[in-house]
Amino acid sequence: QEEALAYELAAKFYLENDKEFLARSYMTEARDRYFKWGAMAKVKQLNETYPELLQVESEEKEKEKAKEEKTDAKISDESAANTEGTPETEEKQAEKTAKATTTKESEPLDLNTIIKASQTISEEIRFDKLLETMIEIVMENAGAQKGFLLLEKGGNWFIEAIGSIEKRGSEKIKSVESMQSIPLNSIEKDGKLLLPPTIIHYVIRTHNPLILNNISDEEQFNKDPYILVNQPKSILCVPIIHQTKLVGIGYLENTLTHGAFTPERLEMLRLLSSQIAISIENAKLYANLEELVIERTRELTDTLEHLKSTQDQLIESEKMAALGQLIAGVAHEINTPLGVIKGGASNMLTGFNDALPQLSELFSRLSIEKQPYFFGLLNRAIAKRLPITAKEGRQFKKELTSQLEDAEIEDADDIADLLVDMGVVHNIEEFLPLFREKDAEWFVRLAYLLSGQSRNAGNIITAVDRASKTVFALKNYAHYDRTGNKIKANIFEGVETVLTLYYNQIKLGVELTVSGFENIPPIPCYPDELNQVWTNLVHNALQAMDHKGRMEITADQNDTHVIVSITDSGCGIPKENLDRIFNTFFTTKERGQGSGLGLGICKKIVEKHNGTITVESEVGRTVFRVELGKVAV
């Protein structure tokens, strides 16, 4: 990727200095490096931006070329028909046909063909369909008649897909199916070996591709039982490697002609193998992630049950949203929420291990009369609240310390610090009897420790929710689905979830004001999709302000709509871009920092709610206004 960037920048430099010949050379190298890296969107962008430099053929030229090839094929068929009656054996005719086909298919593929094959592979997410798509594409582009895909699972190797292509005149008869994980050490079907184990083990051991274009001359392999029985003419076996790890093997075979697999075909498969490896890993993630998160959720729920005898309210705060199915092209978007889940689970385990031994001590050190004050403080800390900025925290601590000192409370500074961390900053007078206890600081610290587990659970819920909702919204963009029923939901709950998610970024230097939601009634909506709208708008506002400035979120209503406005003090949007800001793929961010999908998705979601989204902007003030219908349609 560093080479690709260097070549691209060099090409731009020479292009700006009217040295097109040098620019073409460097830009071609840049595109090749991006392709080998697997950055297919970047390859597409270079093709579209610099078609003349990269000599990308237009769709019209491609169609003309395909038409010419079809005409040539027709002439060839007519010529072959005129030679009927020539006394050739069936075997010689088949071999001649295979050689002609191989000669045609052995020509080097242009980059556009490889890109289209790679994109086709990347678009499939269901594991079984992915395997079938991959084996079919690899066989067709390599000129193979038979193909197998083997994958490694738990240190063992299994056949996961098998395919065959048989030519009957000008027609291709394809047969592709995903298998039920046939172990490599028992690779038999109907009493016959499926492929040569010596060749497979060689590639597993060396991680190197293997081309055998005249198997009878290969002493290392020609004694293999499969080779002796089936007598294939050409064999190609390619390792599929992901991040230096061997994850799969592609085995291809041609039974009609020697020399069927050329170095060009091997290079094509080598280039495709990176996308194949990524797609395999993404498909596995798609299949396993939901089960993994559900299992983690079950573990967290079991942990919270240990506290039920002490405080039932903690159980009520555990609300997990159901996860939807995920998409493979965005696996990297889920890594951060998964990190939050792992960290939150670890924090909960540590917190419970620290807190549970102290619970029995709590009841011995605190009288029955004072225990309600302790649990009241714990309830207040667990209750939903907006995040407190660092500046607000310092002010609250100063006020609480002064209030506690006036009440002659010992350790006032430490207690005030813990209260701010718990979010208990108002109306603390009701807890003064607890604060006057001899071990008041110990009691408050225990309440802080217990309430922290609720915050950890909330962070985990937010992370899981964001992972599923982000992918769900992107999938909706590609395949707009009107099924499902709206439910009545409180708009503020979605906004609050997003603000909690961005708490760490907001507290860095953003003055946040939220108002007007207390009088907004629940409205019929798709809460999961609206959360994507709030996430995008808040995220854009923070970026526009560089995480320093003022952000205001307000709610209002009229007879027909609820209006939510998000205002930031950022750099603003140029006037010439305001009319295009909601267009798909349009972005004001620097190249590589935005896809241009976010606001387009937001617009679709808002329109789905019988509403509109508008923007007003100038330097220092940008307002996105979202209007949502109050009546289901």
Side-chain angles (χ1 to χ4, degrees):
Q1 58 267 36
E2 293 174 359
E3 289 180 358
L5 180 59
Y7 278 123
E8 182 183 356
L9 294 176
K12 290 180 180 178
F13 169 78
Y14 286 116
L15 190 61
E16 290 172 358
N17 288 276
D18 298 325
K19 297 183 178 181
E20 186 174 331
F21 180 80
L22 291 173
R24 179 181 294 109
S25 176
Y26 279 110
M27 193 62 75
T28 300
E29 292 293 336
R31 181 180 64 176
D32 291 345
R33 295 307 190 281
Y34 280 124
F35 184 85
K36 291 178 180 178
W37 181 31
M40 306 311 299
K42 184 62 178 177
V43 172
K44 181 180 179 183
Q45 183 260 333
L46 290 182
N47 283 339
E48 294 174 349
T49 307
Y50 307 102
E52 295 182 358
L53 284 183
L54 297 172
Q55 297 179 342
V56 178
E57 291 187 344
S58 65
E59 291 185 5
E60 290 74 13
K61 288 184 179 180
E62 288 182 353
K63 290 179 180 177
E64 290 178 5
K65 186 177 179 182
K67 186 176 180 181
E68 290 175 1
E69 291 177 352
K70 186 175 181 181
T71 302
D72 291 344
K74 183 177 180 181
I75 294 172
S76 177
D77 290 343
E78 291 173 355
S79 175
N82 293 333
T83 62
E84 283 186 3
T86 302
E88 291 188 21
T89 64
E90 251 183 50
E91 182 178 349
K92 287 184 178 180
Q93 289 176 345
E95 185 168 351
K96 184 179 289 186
T97 301
K99 285 182 177 178
T101 303
T102 303
T103 301
K104 180 68 177 176
E105 294 181 345
S106 294
E107 295 174 0
L109 293 177
D110 63 84
L111 191 58
N112 285 335
T113 300
I114 301 176
I115 291 174
K116 289 177 182 178
S118 180
Q119 288 175 337
T120 301
I121 292 172
S122 66
E123 289 170 358
E124 187 59 67
I125 184 59
R126 281 186 54 189
F127 192 66
D128 54 344
K129 295 296 183 183
L130 172 66
L131 298 179
E132 295 176 6
T133 300
M134 286 192 300
I135 195 69
E136 181 176 347
I137 288 176
V138 169
M139 287 174 59
E140 284 195 345
N141 285 282
Q145 295 172 307
K146 184 186 294 186
F148 294 85
L149 181 65
L150 295 90
L151 299 180
E152 186 270 340
K153 292 190 294 187
N156 297 314
W157 286 86
F158 300 86
I159 298 177
E160 297 293 350
I162 182 172
S164 64
I165 299 178
E166 180 183 354
K167 280 198 172 184
R168 295 178 183 173
S170 60
E171 184 181 3
K172 287 184 178 180
I173 308 300
K174 302 177 186 177
S175 174
V176 180
E177 62 177 321
S178 55
M179 312 297 289
Q180 297 297 320
S181 298
I182 299 178
L184 181 59
N185 58 9
S186 61
I187 48 176
E188 292 187 4
K189 186 178 182 183
D190 300 328
K192 298 179 180 179
L193 283 172
L194 292 174
L195 41 74
T198 57
I199 292 177
I200 302 300
H201 285 297
Y202 172 84
V203 176
I204 292 174
R205 185 175 66 255
T206 64
H207 290 197
N208 293 324
L210 185 64
I211 297 181
L212 301 175
N213 279 324
N214 193 346
I215 192 66
S216 60
D217 295 338
E218 302 289 341
E219 295 184 0
Q220 185 177 355
F221 305 109
N222 59 15
K223 298 296 189 288
D224 185 285
Y226 175 86
I227 302 295
L228 293 174
V229 173
N230 294 277
Q231 294 294 312
K233 298 293 180 62
S234 301
I235 289 176
L236 173 59
C237 195
V238 183
I240 301 172
I241 298 175
H242 180 63
Q243 296 179 348
T244 73
K245 179 184 177 183
L246 181 66
V247 298
I249 291 175
Y251 173 86
L252 303 173
E253 184 178 298
N254 191 304
T255 61
L256 295 180
T257 184
H258 299 293
F261 303 120
T262 64
E264 290 82 2
R265 297 301 171 186
L266 174 60
E267 178 64 13
M268 181 276 297
L269 293 181
R270 188 184 67 80
L271 291 174
L272 282 180
S273 66
S274 60
Q275 181 60 58
I276 290 174
I278 292 171
S279 295
I280 289 173
E281 294 302 310
N282 287 343
K284 289 180 179 178
L285 176 64
Y286 174 85
N288 297 330
L289 183 58
E290 184 174 4
E291 181 181 348
L292 175 65
V293 176
I294 291 176
E295 179 61 28
R296 180 57 54 85
T297 302
R298 187 181 299 113
E299 293 175 4
L300 295 175
T301 304
D302 292 342
T303 303
L304 287 175
E305 286 292 336
H306 291 293
L307 197 58
K308 187 174 182 179
S309 59
T310 305
Q311 187 58 39
D312 288 338
Q313 284 82 350
L314 287 177
I315 301 300
E316 296 175 358
S317 70
E318 175 68 6
K319 295 179 180 178
M320 271 306 206
L323 297 179
Q325 294 184 340
L326 305 180
I327 303 298
V330 292
H332 61 281
E333 292 285 349
I334 308 171
N335 289 336
T336 299
L338 285 181
V340 173
I341 293 172
K342 183 177 180 180
S346 177
N347 291 338
M348 290 182 73
L349 183 60
T350 301
F352 279 125
N353 288 339
D354 292 342
L356 289 177
Q358 300 181 47
L359 289 178
S360 59
E361 188 177 352
L362 167 70
F363 298 113
S364 62
R365 295 173 68 171
L366 188 64
S367 65
I368 295 177
E369 292 77 12
K370 298 296 176 62
Q371 288 178 14
Y373 296 106
F374 174 84
F375 290 114
L377 177 62
L378 186 59
N379 283 336
R380 180 83 68 83
I382 294 171
K384 288 186 177 180
R385 58 189 176 85
L386 289 175
I388 298 174
T389 66
K391 181 178 179 181
E392 292 173 334
R394 291 190 295 270
Q395 181 63 31
F396 281 133
K397 180 181 177 181
K398 182 178 179 181
E399 295 173 357
L400 291 174
T401 301
S402 175
Q403 187 176 353
L404 292 171
E405 288 176 346
D406 291 344
E408 299 181 351
I409 303 298
E410 296 184 4
D411 300 322
D413 188 69
D414 292 338
I415 292 175
D417 195 28
L418 289 170
L419 291 175
V420 171
D421 288 341
M422 287 190 290
V424 181
V425 295
H426 299 295
N427 303 322
I428 66 169
E429 296 84 0
E430 59 184 289
F431 306 120
L432 289 179
L434 176 66
F435 299 154
R436 290 193 175 97
E437 287 289 306
K438 177 181 178 182
D439 298 323
E441 195 270 343
W442 184 89
F443 296 136
V444 177
R445 188 172 298 279
L446 178 58
Y448 166 75
L449 191 60
L450 292 173
S451 63
Q453 310 323 306
S454 177
R455 290 189 291 273
N456 285 329
N459 289 338
I460 293 171
I461 294 171
T462 300
V464 172
D465 195 47
R466 175 159 186 222
S468 62
K469 290 175 178 58
T470 299
V471 178
F472 179 74
L474 291 173
K475 183 179 179 182
N476 271 357
Y477 173 79
H479 179 67
Y480 194 52
D481 186 7
R482 295 182 180 275
T483 62
N485 298 318
K486 292 182 179 179
I487 63 172
K488 278 200 170 186
N490 192 324
I491 297 297
F492 178 67
E493 290 182 357
V495 174
E496 183 186 34
T497 297
V498 174
L499 293 178
T500 301
L501 177 66
Y502 282 96
Y503 171 72
N504 289 328
Q505 298 181 43
I506 292 173
K507 74 176 183 180
L508 293 176
V510 176
E511 249 182 73
L512 175 65
T513 303
V514 181
S515 62
F517 286 92
E518 59 275 3
N519 297 321
I520 301 299
I523 66 170
C525 63
Y526 303 98
D528 293 349
E529 297 183 32
L530 285 181
N531 283 351
Q532 176 64 18
V533 175
W534 313 135
T535 298
N536 189 278
L537 296 181
V538 169
H539 181 79
N540 288 348
L542 292 174
Q543 282 194 328
M545 296 187 293
D546 195 20
H547 301 87
K548 294 177 183 178
R550 298 181 308 279
M551 181 164 61
E552 183 179 3
I553 303 177
T554 61
D556 200 356
Q557 61 179 318
N558 54 34
D559 292 340
T560 59
H561 287 80
V562 168
I563 302 101
V564 177
S565 300
I566 299 180
T567 306
D568 69 74
S569 61
C571 58
I573 302 170
K575 289 184 178 179
E576 61 270 21
N577 292 334
L578 286 176
D579 292 337
R580 298 186 293 163
I581 198 69
F582 296 108
N583 291 352
T584 303
F585 300 119
F586 177 78
T587 177
T588 59
K589 299 174 184 176
E590 294 182 7
R591 186 173 293 176
Q593 294 186 2
S595 64
L597 291 175
L599 289 176
I601 294 172
C602 290
K603 183 180 179 182
K604 283 185 174 292
I605 293 173
V606 173
E607 290 173 348
K608 192 174 178 179
H609 288 77
N610 191 30
T612 59
I613 179 170
T614 57
V615 59
E616 301 173 5
S617 184
E618 60 185 30
V619 176
R621 185 175 185 272
T622 297
V623 183
F624 279 91
R625 185 171 290 104
V626 177
E627 297 190 18
L628 303 170
K630 295 168 69 173
V631 179
V633 293

